[in-house]
Every structure is written in structure tokens, then in C-alpha cells.
Amino acid sequence: MSDIQTDYPQLQLEENIPLSDEEIQKVETDQRKITQVAPAILGGCTLFVMALSAFFIKDDFSKFKYYDYILFAGAGLVLLGFAYLMYLLVTRYDRRNWKKDKISGKNKLSSIVIDSDTTEYGEYLTFAGPAKNKKIRLLVTQEDYSRYKTGTKVVVTYLKYSKSVISISEL
């Protein structure tokens, strides 16, 4: 982390700003896209695993009885059910946080980029908070990550609970 001179009185954080109808529709549309595609992806992955396991035991298929085929198909259904259950738990958690964001709204921060880092989950920018030694780390798009370097003064609008950026612009 580099040493950046931060003028804390100039940093501002506006909290609990209501979301506009366009922002609500955008987030809900993004959630629906994932919801429509996920069952097909899970089914395809299950079929791939079943085909791979069938390939490895192809010599033993001639020794199978009728109940072995039923067990093999049942194992595939159990695998699909487990993956679908995990998918439902993740989407339920995401929707619960989305409801919190919908109720509490968004925050608007006028700040300075003090750090940037990449993880396996995405690119993050860290901003100076309104209080000394307070930092706010937010998930940003790859374009924003490469555009805003350390020391850039920006205005960031983000969802409070999910810590994802709605918009970011340079001052």
C-alpha cells in the first residue's frame, strides 16, 4: 500500500440512499439471467460426470445386472439433486442480501483510491473512509479496476450489504 496524503474532511459518505427503479430493474435482471441458465449448466455437468464415470467402468458394464443400472442412474440423480440444492442455498443467500440492499438502499462515497487487489473472486478497489484508518473495499468490474489507479479521486455509488459498485466516476 502506498502512502497517500488523505484530506479526511473532504471525504464524504452518504448512506441509505433509496435505489432508483432503473437500478432495481438492472440488478433483478442480472439475477434472473443466472437463474435461467443455472439448471441447464448443472444438468450438463451432471451428464458429463456420468459419462466420464461410464467411460472408466465400460469394461464392467457387461457384468451389470438391472439393479446396477438403476443404482447408476440414481447416483446421477443424487448428484444433480445435491448440486441443485447448493445452487438454491447460494441464490437464497444472494436474494436475502439483495432484499437488505433494497431496503437500506445504496451508499455514495466521495473518496480516494488507496489500494487495489485481485482475488479469485474478482477485482477490488479500496477507498479511504470518512474516518481516519477506515477503509472501504468494494468489488468492481475489470474495466474500472484497470481505469482507476491508486491516488485517483472518485465518487462511488455502491450497494451497502453486497459491497458491489453500481457506478464509479472520477472527480
Side-chain angles (χ1 to χ4, degrees):
M1 182 145 81
S2 62
D3 295 328
I4 298 173
Q5 295 291 12
T6 306
D7 188 14
Y8 288 98
Q10 288 185 349
L11 303 180
Q12 295 178 347
L13 176 63
E14 296 175 44
E15 295 184 298
N16 302 327
I17 303 168
L19 294 171
S20 67
D21 290 337
E22 296 85 29
E23 292 167 337
I24 290 172
Q25 286 177 348
K26 180 186 177 296
V27 174
E28 287 177 347
T29 303
D30 292 344
Q31 285 182 340
R32 266 189 244 115
K33 286 178 187 176
I34 294 169
T35 304
Q36 291 172 350
V37 175
I41 292 172
L42 291 175
C45 290
T46 302
L47 285 175
F48 175 74
V49 169
M50 295 294 291
L52 190 64
S53 59
F55 174 76
F56 285 122
I57 61 171
K58 64 182 172 189
D59 296 334
D60 296 330
F61 268 127
S62 60
K63 300 174 192 168
F64 271 24
K65 307 283 188 226
Y66 73 92
Y67 53 84
D68 292 326
Y69 290 108
I70 294 171
L71 286 174
F72 189 73
L77 288 174
V78 167
L79 178 64
L80 178 64
F82 178 74
Y84 194 71
L85 177 68
M86 291 297 116
Y87 158 74
L88 289 176
L89 290 173
V90 168
T91 55
R92 185 171 294 149
Y93 175 78
D94 189 38
R95 284 191 183 126
R96 187 178 309 132
N97 279 344
W98 168 232
K99 285 180 184 176
K100 287 179 186 175
D101 278 332
K102 211 171 178 180
I103 292 167
S104 67
K106 60 188 175 186
N107 291 347
K108 187 174 184 180
L109 175 68
S110 299
S111 184
I112 300 170
V113 178
I114 58 172
D115 195 16
S116 59
D117 62 299
T118 303
T119 67
E120 60 191 54
Y121 304 109
E123 288 85 15
Y124 292 87
L125 291 177
T126 305
F127 304 94
K132 193 168 187 152
N133 295 328
K134 179 162 169 62
K135 300 172 188 171
I136 300 173
R137 185 173 180 246
L138 302 172
L139 179 66
V140 296
T141 63
Q142 189 174 13
E143 298 149 3
D144 290 338
Y145 180 78
S146 59
R147 183 181 308 146
Y148 300 106
K149 302 297 180 195
T150 303
T152 307
K153 293 182 180 182
V154 293
V155 175
V156 183
T157 305
Y158 65 96
L159 295 173
K160 184 176 181 177
Y161 284 98
S162 59
K163 298 285 187 185
S164 56
V165 173
I166 296 173
S167 66
I168 184 171
S169 60
E170 193 168 342
L171 283 175

